[in-house]
Amino acid sequence: LSGFLQMGENRFMSWLYDISTNNFLNAHQTLYELGVDEKASASKKKTLLSLSKLAALATEDPPESIHNNLEAIADEQDLLLQQEQLPDDVVESLGLEADKMYVYTPKELIQLLIGEFNAHADEFHFKKALDLLAYINKTDADYEILLTQIWCQAILRDDWSAINPDDHLEGCRDTVFFKTVELVHSTGIDLKDYLPMVDVILNNELLADFKENTNFQFLIKACFEQIFRVLKSS
Amino acid sequence: DAPLDVTTTKEDQLKIDAIDWLVFNPLQRAEALKQANALMRNFLASRKLTAARAVFDKIPPDSVDVIVQASQSQTHTVELQPEDDNAIKEYLCHQAYLDAHDSFCDWFEHYHNAKPTKPNIPKGASFTERVAFEHKERQYEMDLARWKHNLMMQTKVTCDRLYNVLLFVNGGWMVDQRQDGTRDDNRTHQMRLLRQLCLPGLCFLLHTVLHNTEQYKKCVQLANLVASDQHQLYKTFRKDELQQLLHKIRETSVALLDSGLDPLGYPLIE
């Protein structure tokens, strides 16, 4: 019977048999594979991984290798939590009920947090987007692209032409961009690893509309100078 | 299974009554609350729920306000002493637990004992007996509808109260939020033990309610609650308790399969 249950289509039931025979290690392994493979439903993925975790913890004399699975489950749980906590604006724009969402990748989550769906994005959302970069390999070509996009989108949240150039430092302080910088800095993260060079930002296509806007270019450069001055002194 | 409630002894009653002496003076209310908390911890640890409820009822309902006011008049700040803050949270934890338990007992009573019984028609019934039977049957249908409605309401309240303990705000049930006060290792130790003693039990009660009222999908999703890193409930379970939980969830999954859904309550993929 257990052989039959391990075959393809029947895997989704085999863990029931494993639990009934107190084979929690097998149940854990199957539920883990089902959970990792699940892409169509976030809520289903969550329950499969939760059950897998409980089965792992219920296993008597678990093998060492189970810790790797538990760590992987913790990462997946964290991503699902980020998805559950997407701002209301985003969930509404997607027009999906919370329990009918498919599973978003870290890249998609970042885009949802920083993009136009999130009408009221604040510094906490941009910080979350930066945190999500941890799930993307630094050698992945998209890593740098996303990093730059996060900061450009943060800059685009404010109307920089409304800032008085004579008192620009004070004006910059109220921008989402500056607040994000402060928030990241306050959590002890080294901004130098997370903030691209000012030219990279200004040359990004997201800011193409401001290429000829000298006032805008001046303000952003002044902002960066101020940030790096503070970073150096601290 | 351990009994849900253990009888209050004469000695217990003396301890309960002693709280009366502490609630006269409003300036002593914080102390009264701490003593009552300590007594309730002991009663909960020996599963004396009626006794714990009796202690709880000795503390006047306005006590949190009284403590805040007394503290403000003495220290002239809005911030409470960390010990008082923690005592108030603990008191609310006791309340949430006792309420959840009372609700479950009411639910259990209603589910098992208050269900109306279907009338039977006697064999070879006469005309008058048949008329009487039809009348009884109509009455039964009405009673059953009312029973179902009340069960639904009681189920909702009970689940809410059980979730309220399991998802207790500000760090969880019986977890101090303020860490800046004098440490009381004995108290912290007791609170940790109470989490282990009470929380798995409440999860099982919640499973019972959800399963018996056929809320199977929600019931399977109990796994999410227990496995969540935010709430850390899985840490309060022993291995055998986790195994028992998985067996219970399995039963629910089997019920879902019987109703034509997949083991987690989603439509089967063709």
Side-chain angles (χ1 to χ4, degrees), chain B residues 19-153:
Chain B
I19 299 290
D20 284 336
W21 296 99
L22 283 166
V23 292
F24 287 125
N25 184 349
L27 290 176
Q28 285 182 342
R29 194 60 61 83
E31 187 53 32
L33 198 67
K34 285 172 205 164
Q35 294 296 336
N37 282 342
L39 200 49
M40 285 191 279
R41 285 200 300 277
N42 278 312
F43 284 147
L44 283 194
S46 41
R47 298 201 186 270
K48 294 183 172 179
L49 286 174
T50 310
R53 172 59 80 180
V55 178
F56 185 85
D57 290 342
K58 291 281 182 196
I59 299 292
D62 65 345
S63 290
V64 174
D65 285 340
V66 171
I67 292 169
V68 171
Q69 276 167 19
S71 159
Q72 276 173 6
S73 69
Q74 281 173 326
T75 62
H76 304 290
T77 55
V78 200
E79 177 117 323
L80 284 171
Q81 293 292 316
E83 293 82 11
D84 292 356
D85 228 354
N86 288 336
I88 289 174
K89 184 186 166 185
E90 189 193 335
Y91 166 77
L92 297 174
C93 288
H94 284 297
Q95 180 179 34
Y97 184 76
L98 293 169
D99 285 352
H101 240 286
D102 286 354
S103 245
F104 177 80
C105 292
D106 292 346
W107 177 88
F108 192 85
E109 172 73 20
H110 187 78
Y111 182 78
H112 286 285
N113 298 331
K115 190 173 183 178
T117 40
K118 202 175 160 73
N120 286 319
I121 189 156
K123 262 192 183 161
S126 68
F127 174 72
T128 40
E129 279 169 337
R130 276 212 308 277
V131 171
F133 170 75
E134 276 167 20
H135 179 75
K136 269 191 202 158
E137 205 171 35
R138 270 199 303 278
Q139 187 62 41
Y140 165 76
E141 296 296 341
M142 272 160 55
D143 288 348
L144 187 68
R146 195 177 306 128
W147 177 81
K148 276 187 181 159
H149 177 75
N150 288 342
L151 180 67
M152 217 174 67
M153 308 279 279

Side-chain angles (χ1 to χ4, degrees), chain A residues 64-93:
Chain A
E64 276 294 311
S65 58
I66 220 164
H67 289 288
N68 297 335
N69 285 1
L70 281 172
E71 270 171 32
I73 290 174
D75 281 349
E76 297 270 13
Q77 276 181 317
D78 180 47
L79 277 175
L80 288 166
L81 191 66
Q82 300 281 350
Q83 175 163 345
E84 276 172 33
Q85 292 175 345
L86 277 174
D88 293 346
D89 284 341
V90 177
V91 180
E92 260 169 50
S93 315

Side-chain angles (χ1 to χ4, degrees), chain B residues 96 99-100 102-103 156-166:
Chain B
D99 285 352
D102 286 354
S103 245
K156 169 126 191 19
V157 173
T158 307
C159 289
D160 284 352
R161 288 185 171 175
L162 287 166
Y163 280 121
N164 189 24
V165 177
L166 297 171

Side-chain angles (χ1 to χ4, degrees), chain A residues 16 19 22 43 50 53 58-59, chain B residues 224 227 239 243 247 250 266:
Chain A
L16 293 171
I19 290 176
N22 287 322
S43 60
S50 297
K53 176 170 171 175
T59 303
Chain B
N224 296 345
K239 261 189 206 306
Q243 295 174 355
H247 278 290
R250 193 197 79 94
Y266 296 82

